[in-house]
Amino acid sequence: MKKFFSMLLIFAMALSFAACDDKKDKQEEYDENAITIMGKKSDLAKSYMTNIFERYKESTGKNINIISIDDSDYETEAERRFSDGETPDIFMHFHNADLNRFDVDNNFCYLNDENWVGDLTDSARSYCTDEKGNLLGLPYWESSVSGCYYNKTLFDSLGLKPASTQAEFDALCQTLSEIGYTPICWPADGCSWMMQFGLDPVFADDPSILRKINNNEINYSDIPQVENMFKWISDAAEKGWFGDKYLETGMEDISDIMGSGEAVMVFIWDTWFYTDLKEGNEYYVDDFALMPVFMNTVENGTYEGGNLNMMMVNKNSDKKEEALDFLEFCAAEENYNAAFDGISTVSCFKGQTTNIQSEMVTDASASIAKCERVSTAATRIIGYSADEVASALNKLFKKEINVSECIDLMDKYRTKEAEAQGIEGF
């Protein structure tokens, strides 16, 4: 028995030394002369990110220190590190309400005058621009276009045309309903993105409304377009435009509903058709086309531009110039085309040619150019929670509350979240 415990002790000591050696190796991997890049673990593992990192190291001979944080802990862990002075040279983040945690004005460079700015597409640049017109980061990500995707094969067989106004869309839904089709697949069970599409133009078209709601000067209930939208959604459900199973329809059900032709339209994004729409049903990718989303907030409808991960430069870093040089390397045409070769994405750069773009999007390019808004509601309204907006709407669907009470509940959720974030004025 003593021999057994002696062997066990030796084994434990060996493991301890091995662990120490492993830690030592990991510490030695850190290059104090290299820039640091902080991001979510899954984001940093994207093929186009690993490709650009390797290309940079091979081309320049310089190293990169990667700070990878678990996705679920990213906002809180990054915030802690910033508070403790553990700031990276480059910080990856989406332009959303959580960015308020990081004191953008005092921590990050404005990139308005960088050489690569003119090569950004309008939508990519808009996404990364704050309300004062400052460019906060380099958009380096896959992008998509959200809108109303419709079954063009069914439309053609029924002699129907896509809508270009709210009145035309309403008439289209009524016609489809009367002849036995579900006009819109509305996945109310756990899906929460649809409402932001309708809200985007309210806040994107009038920045003063966004500023006032974020300063706690007005509420959703003070904005007529918000009431118009939720009344339209409620009425659409009452008229059967979402079918009779929408409250039990979740993300995993959309493919069968759209693929079978049970529903004719869905408010979603182009990449969904390449990642989630199952083959083997009656209708597949080539059977669909794109028109704007209509939810009674803007007459000619709207598209939502993609949500993009930005690379932001720490202006207080002693490696600020090297970090800016890294962004310039990433934004060089030959480098981003190598990184995004074969990736299904809407272009973020005007010179982007190796990515794959959806035919649905390219066919609707003129309409998109006219009606697209940068993602605004979910990204720039302080305290916005898509899940909480969906929760309030589902109470309305179930007739637990009316339209006015639904909007009041959204305001309650929003202000509570803003208070939790410690936003001044709430």
Side-chain angles (χ1 to χ4, degrees):
M1 182 65 70
K2 289 181 180 179
K3 182 178 181 181
F4 170 77
F5 281 115
S6 297
M7 292 177 66
L8 189 63
L9 178 60
I10 293 169
F11 180 66
M13 291 174 66
L15 285 178
S16 176
F17 287 131
C20 289
D21 287 343
D22 183 55
K23 287 179 182 178
K24 182 179 179 182
D25 288 343
K26 287 183 178 178
Q27 288 172 355
E28 288 176 353
E29 288 174 5
Y30 181 85
D31 185 346
E32 63 181 13
N33 297 312
I35 58 172
T36 57
I37 301 176
M38 180 186 291
K40 291 182 181 178
K41 183 177 290 186
S42 66
D43 292 349
L44 292 165
K46 294 285 188 182
S47 63
Y48 42 86
M49 298 306 300
T50 57
N51 284 345
I52 199 65
F53 294 155
E54 289 306 313
R55 190 175 176 86
Y56 173 79
K57 287 189 269 189
E58 290 173 3
S59 298
T60 66
K62 296 179 180 179
N63 203 0
I64 301 173
N65 295 310
I66 300 296
I67 303 173
S68 177
I69 298 174
D70 287 341
D71 292 17
S72 59
D73 300 328
Y74 189 65
E75 304 297 346
T76 53
E77 176 63 14
E79 185 177 19
R80 182 197 67 75
R81 292 187 184 219
F82 270 73
S83 297
D84 292 347
E86 301 172 23
T87 53
D89 304 307
I90 294 174
F91 181 54
M92 292 179 64
H93 205 282
F94 290 85
H95 191 185
N96 58 30
D98 278 317
L99 193 57
N100 292 315
R101 298 169 180 249
F102 300 99
D103 192 4
V104 173
D105 287 345
N106 290 317
N107 282 325
F108 301 103
C109 296
Y110 294 140
L111 305 173
N112 309 333
D113 299 323
E114 294 303 300
N115 295 328
W116 42 262
V117 173
D119 192 32
L120 296 178
T121 62
D122 291 343
S123 59
R125 181 173 180 174
S126 294
Y127 179 84
C128 300
T129 301
D130 68 11
E131 61 180 12
K132 298 176 183 176
N134 294 308
L135 186 65
L136 303 181
L138 172 69
Y140 213 75
W141 204 241
E142 57 194 279
S143 188
S144 60
V145 174
S146 296
C148 178
Y149 287 83
Y150 65 94
N151 189 321
K152 66 179 180 181
T153 302
L154 269 176
F155 266 44
D156 290 344
S157 70
L158 297 169
L160 299 174
K161 301 292 183 184
S164 58
T165 66
Q166 183 70 52
E168 289 177 3
F169 185 75
D170 290 350
L172 189 60
C173 289
Q174 189 60 35
T175 299
L176 287 166
S177 183
E178 289 174 354
I179 61 178
Y181 289 95
T182 298
I184 304 167
C185 174
W186 187 279
D189 184 12
C191 298
S192 58
W193 62 77
M194 298 83 73
M195 292 72 71
Q196 70 195 52
F197 302 160
L199 289 172
D200 277 346
V202 178
F203 299 94
D205 294 359
D206 188 347
S208 69
I209 295 178
L210 180 63
R211 184 176 64 254
K212 287 177 182 177
I213 201 165
N214 282 342
N215 288 339
N216 203 22
E217 297 171 9
I218 60 172
N219 290 313
Y220 290 130
S221 56
D222 299 312
I223 306 170
Q225 299 99 310
V226 175
E227 181 178 0
N228 293 343
M229 173 179 155
F230 282 86
K231 186 176 188 308
W232 181 89
I233 295 173
S234 178
D235 289 347
E238 285 284 327
K239 294 172 184 175
W241 291 357
F242 303 155
D244 57 7
K245 297 180 181 178
Y246 66 97
L247 286 173
E248 292 81 44
T249 298
M251 180 70 176
E252 69 282 358
D253 302 309
I254 304 174
S255 178
D256 289 339
I257 291 171
M258 298 306 298
S260 66
E262 178 184 338
V264 185
M265 299 180 285
V266 63
F267 299 158
I268 208 159
W269 48 92
D270 59 298
T271 54
W272 177 88
F273 288 86
Y274 299 92
T275 58
D276 292 74
L277 182 62
K278 300 171 188 172
E279 294 186 67
N281 281 314
E282 186 173 356
Y283 302 102
Y284 196 51
V285 177
D286 292 342
D287 294 297
F288 293 90
L290 173 61
M291 64 175 157
V293 165
F294 294 92
M295 277 193 267
N296 207 32
T297 55
V298 61
E299 176 61 19
N300 299 116
T302 187
Y303 302 94
E304 184 189 53
N307 293 298
L308 304 171
N309 218 338
M310 306 182 294
M311 288 194 276
M312 307 173 68
V313 173
N314 178 0
K315 71 178 182 181
N316 303 309
S317 167
D318 58 2
K319 295 186 179 68
K320 181 180 75 173
E321 294 305 320
E322 292 175 59
L324 290 170
D325 288 344
F326 175 77
L327 263 60
E328 186 155 357
F329 179 90
C330 293
E333 187 172 326
E334 65 273 19
N335 294 328
Y336 63 66
N337 273 319
F340 284 91
D341 188 13
I343 301 295
S344 178
T345 174
V346 173
S347 297
C348 291
F349 300 93
K350 294 174 183 176
Q352 202 163 354
T353 57
T354 58
N355 55 308
I356 302 169
Q357 295 203 70
S358 162
E359 188 175 312
M360 295 178 286
V361 170
T362 55
D363 286 347
S365 58
S367 176
I368 294 168
K370 179 181 177 183
C371 300
E372 185 181 39
R373 274 84 176 177
V374 64
S375 178
T376 304
T379 61
R380 300 188 182 180
I381 297 174
I382 293 172
Y384 186 94
S385 165
D387 288 341
E388 289 178 341
V389 171
S391 174
L393 179 58
N394 282 0
K395 290 179 184 294
L396 175 60
F397 284 146
K398 295 173 184 177
K399 301 187 186 303
E400 297 173 6
I401 54 178
N402 60 31
V403 170
S404 177
E405 291 168 332
C406 175
I407 295 169
D408 286 343
L409 186 56
M410 286 166 50
D411 275 322
K412 179 180 177 182
Y413 288 149
R414 177 182 57 82
T415 54
K416 182 179 180 181
E417 177 60 28
E419 289 171 0
Q421 292 182 22
I423 303 298
E424 186 177 351
F426 286 86

